[in-house]
Amino acid sequence: MASYSNVTIPSKIKAWLYAKHGNPVDVLKLDSDLRVPEIKEDQVLVKIVPGYDMAGVVVKVGDQVKKFKVGDEVYGDVNEKSLDLDEVYGDINEKSLDHPQQHGTLAEYTAVEERLLALKPKNLSFVEAAALPAAIETAYEGLERTRLSSGKSILVLGGAGGVGSLVIQLAKEVFGASRVAATSSTGKLDFLKSLGADLAIDYTKENFEDLPEKFDVVYDTIGQRERATRAVKEGGSVVTIVGGVTPPTFKFVWTSKGSILEKLNPFIESQKIKPVIDPKGTFPFSRVLQAFAYLGTGRVTGEIVIHSIP
């Protein structure tokens, strides 16, 4: 049983870095001689399960940090959580698309503002928790902006993806949608239904915009905004997270907020909302490039996670 209350933090760590924009498979490089990040007054230093999002344990806190404390049993079973352990998860890049960090969470340790984090749901492993933050924050904020509410219907384009799979669950369990439809390829229709979709549409066989049924909200995760506008009811809302927009569609860049994760934790801990990780989607730290290559195939169901830093 590991203890982190008196942990010795190394002076050098391993991290995957990129020096320029481009395909991660081409530009990411492993650096085994990187200095541990210095924390600011409002930051904590976290030893992590890495990826775009993260899950890990607090090993150092800034003077102004109020929510978290140094913990122990970092990578232990979550059922063995001690009273001194702060297990946290979050998306450390507050405005990811506007200001991408150079190496973010693909590292052994990372410094992160406490406002971006929440206590990790007690029922999730670190790998499961690491799959959630950016996707669930994007899904939630998009639904909130469409004003989806009880009794309304929604169509999710790309329902088997990382964001789409959470939009389906949130629409049903948190926002109270009366009817949820979603699109996917033939082999993933049953998966959509298992998430709570009332109608699973095979996009290889049907054009969703030609269906007689129209929807109060269309959530586009794959960049089909023009078709999406033909599937929404008059006065309804279309939100997209991919590509440009034309009215009535709107697009947003989500802002990472630990408060969203805190709000959703009860739904996660009650298993009304579950993380979705691709069956082939967990990769060791040494295989980061292979993970991004797999992500680039477009065949991923849910999320992928990098884990177990040696």
Side-chain angles (χ1 to χ4, degrees):
M1 188 176 293
S3 174
Y4 283 76
S5 57
N6 296 305
V7 66
T8 300
I9 300 170
S11 59
K12 301 290 184 179
I13 62 172
K14 298 175 183 177
W16 288 89
L17 309 178
Y18 67 89
K20 58 184 179 180
H21 289 282
N23 186 324
V25 176
D26 299 324
V27 301
L28 277 173
K29 304 295 181 184
L30 180 62
D31 189 333
S32 299
D33 194 37
L34 194 70
R35 294 185 62 181
V36 174
E38 295 290 336
I39 63 170
K40 299 177 182 178
E41 291 181 339
D42 64 342
Q43 291 182 322
V44 298
L45 184 66
V46 184
K47 184 173 176 63
I48 60 176
V49 174
Y52 279 128
D53 308 313
M54 51 78 70
V57 63
V58 175
V59 296
K60 186 177 181 181
V61 299
D63 293 340
Q64 295 182 6
V65 170
K66 306 296 184 184
K67 291 169 54 178
F68 304 110
K69 60 184 180 298
V70 173
D72 56 9
E73 297 180 8
V74 181
Y75 293 108
D77 188 326
V78 297
N79 292 322
E80 296 178 357
K81 179 178 182 295
S82 78
L83 294 178
D84 294 326
L85 172 61
D86 271 344
E87 297 171 318
V88 297
Y89 81 136
D91 171 20
I92 71 163
N93 209 351
E94 185 173 13
K95 293 187 177 179
S96 304
L97 298 184
D98 291 340
H99 305 287
Q101 294 199 1
Q102 186 179 30
H103 55 274
T105 64
L106 288 175
E108 292 178 275
Y109 292 81
T110 193
V112 52
E113 290 80 0
E114 67 169 334
R115 69 181 181 275
L116 307 184
L117 300 174
L119 290 172
K120 182 179 74 64
K122 299 173 184 178
N123 60 312
L124 297 187
S125 69
F126 285 100
V127 169
E128 291 171 324
L132 275 175
I136 203 167
E137 288 169 349
T138 302
Y140 180 86
E141 193 167 350
L143 288 171
E144 193 172 53
R145 294 192 185 192
T146 66
R147 299 182 180 178
L148 182 68
S149 59
S150 178
K152 291 186 177 181
S153 61
I154 181 172
L155 169 63
V156 185
L157 306 185
V163 174
S165 60
L166 288 164
V167 172
I168 293 172
Q169 296 180 72
L170 291 171
K172 273 281 188 179
E173 300 294 341
V174 178
F175 290 84
S178 60
R179 183 164 172 79
V180 177
T183 66
S184 75
S185 59
T186 308
K188 298 179 180 179
L189 298 177
D190 288 340
F191 171 67
L192 298 184
K193 294 176 182 177
S194 74
L195 295 175
D198 302 294
L199 174 65
I201 302 168
D202 186 344
Y203 69 74
T204 70
K205 298 179 180 178
E206 292 184 282
N207 293 323
F208 62 84
E209 69 271 32
D210 294 335
L211 295 174
E213 181 178 6
K214 304 302 176 185
F215 301 88
D216 295 299
V217 171
V218 179
Y219 198 124
D220 173 23
T221 73
I222 53 179
Q224 295 185 337
R225 64 188 184 282
E226 292 183 3
R227 296 176 63 192
T229 59
R230 298 199 292 273
V232 70
K233 293 179 180 177
E234 184 176 353
S237 299
V238 179
V239 58
T240 185
I241 59 174
V242 183
V245 296
T246 52
T249 305
F250 70 90
K251 181 181 179 180
F252 73 98
V253 177
W254 89 96
T255 300
S256 300
K257 297 176 182 175
S259 59
I260 292 178
L261 301 178
E262 291 171 352
K263 184 183 298 185
L264 296 177
N265 272 358
F267 295 94
I268 298 168
E269 292 182 343
S270 65
Q271 299 187 48
K272 292 181 178 179
I273 305 296
K274 299 178 181 180
V276 178
I277 300 175
D278 187 274
K280 300 178 182 178
T282 54
F283 292 82
F285 189 70
S286 61
R287 289 176 57 83
V288 163
L289 299 183
Q290 289 86 345
F292 278 103
Y294 181 55
L295 184 64
T297 65
R299 297 194 295 268
V300 176
T301 298
E303 297 287 335
I304 65 171
V305 180
I306 312 299
H307 66 97
S308 302
I309 302 174

